[in-house]
Amino acid sequence: MSPIPVRASCSARAGWLGGSSMRLMQPQFPWPARMARTILAMLLACSAARAAPVQFDLNLGVPDVVLDSEQPRACTITYLVTDVTTDDTYAVRMQVMPRQGAKPVAGRLPCPQTVPPRVAARALNACIARVADPKGCVFSDMSRNFAQGPELINTAENSSRCMSDSADFIGVACWKSGELDICNVGCGKTREDAQTAARERCETKQQQSCLTSGTLPVLAP
Amino acid sequence: MKGKRVLTTRRWMAGLVLLALSAGTGWAQAEPERTPKRLVALPPIAWDPEMTDARPLLHQGPSDLTALTGGILFGLRPEAVNGLLPEPTAGLGWNDLPIVNEFTQDVRYFWIKLAGSRELSGGIASCTGANSYIVFLFRDHSLFRMSYRFLPDADCPDPSQAVQAVFARYSAIARDVALTVHYRNGHTEVVDVTDPGSRELLSTRWLARGQ
């Protein structure tokens, strides 16, 4: 229920009540108690309405949904991390709130130039919380030695992420070394670009055919 | 002399034809099969502009879990969980439930086949294995875990696509609402969805008999 019509009607009634209260003072017309109670109730109702948010009706003509959809999305850094015990690859999206006065470039809010290590650690922790063996969580961009030593040290944090100010999709491409997926990560403007980038990186780095691949949008849906 | 030259030319021609044919066979060969890899999207995290502090971007609650389970929620009694299943077992109660071996506490369970479990098998578009099942685990009469167990068989030798589908579906829920873990136990793939408030029970995994 909008408070606006209530306030408007109360103002009108207040005027009417003012006139009535003048008549109330005349002794030759004793007022019944019921009428007095009604007047009191109306006065209270008016006070309540005046206490309502006064600026409630501002910008009522502006459709909020249209306004929101035109706003550029905040920077999102998406990491890929892998659990080597199951070959599950997780996408962890980090949305960074824009600084005051940040200007979008080509409809995209800029991402930070440098990413603190704690952000990467948080991405890794998102994996660690879901696996049986925490040591199984590594970044998804792996070195050529990874098959021999499937450990975090043989993975690259900065190549395992894509940023929304320069890419729309993140991709991963892998080859199978026994049960283990050996993967690399790529970024691109389209799904195909990201997949190609990941596959080329994987085939160059690993010197293998990287036939297993997947992609995901960098921005959260 | 002329006859020899013709013979040599014919040999060259035959060689070229053979070369062309072999190249043609090469082109006609199918591209190596590419396998899709599913990426499991976890709930997004929001950082402040300085990237010093992080919090979940989405506010999720129990209703996000019930949307996937057809109303099943942590804390429900065995009778209530049973009542929400497509084919409830008549007269099921706490005293009838068998005890789970791998827990030191009094933890009890019952199970249903994954096939035909309606919402609980939502999102699965591939084979699951006919003997795959879901276990409901209870402590103090209340549900604290749903455990999906995928068993390969002759008709479904690799149910990993189904495993990934279930794992990805529950992993989209914040871990303070439901903690989803995937692991292998012999040939069985397990996806546990556990109440994060169940504390000491959280880290206990299923151990198949004889392991």
Side-chain angles (χ1 to χ4, degrees), chain A residues 81-84 87 89 136 138-147 150-152 154-156 159-160 172-175 180-185 201-202 205-206, chain B residues 37:
Chain A
V81 286
T82 298
D83 171 19
V84 295
D87 285 333
T89 296
V138 298
F139 294 108
S140 300
D141 195 75
M142 301 165 184
S143 76
R144 204 172 168 181
N145 302 326
F146 192 79
E151 295 164 3
L152 187 62
N154 284 326
T155 63
S159 311
S160 299
V172 67
C174 317
W175 70 281
L180 194 63
D181 275 350
I182 312 287
C183 306
N184 288 97
V185 177
R201 182 171 168 80
C202 178
K205 215 172 170 75
Q206 310 291 344
Chain B
K37 186 172 178 69

Side-chain angles (χ1 to χ4, degrees), chain A residues 77-93:
Chain A
I77 305 166
T78 300
Y79 280 86
L80 293 186
V81 286
T82 298
D83 171 19
V84 295
T85 60
T86 56
D87 285 333
D88 290 325
T89 296
Y90 300 91
V92 191
R93 294 184 174 109

Side-chain angles (χ1 to χ4, degrees), chain A residues 108-132:
Chain A
R108 295 158 190 256
L109 281 164
C111 288
Q113 296 288 318
T114 53
V115 180
R118 60 181 159 266
V119 181
R122 183 75 185 235
L124 214 52
N125 281 337
C127 168
I128 288 169
R130 290 170 168 84
V131 299

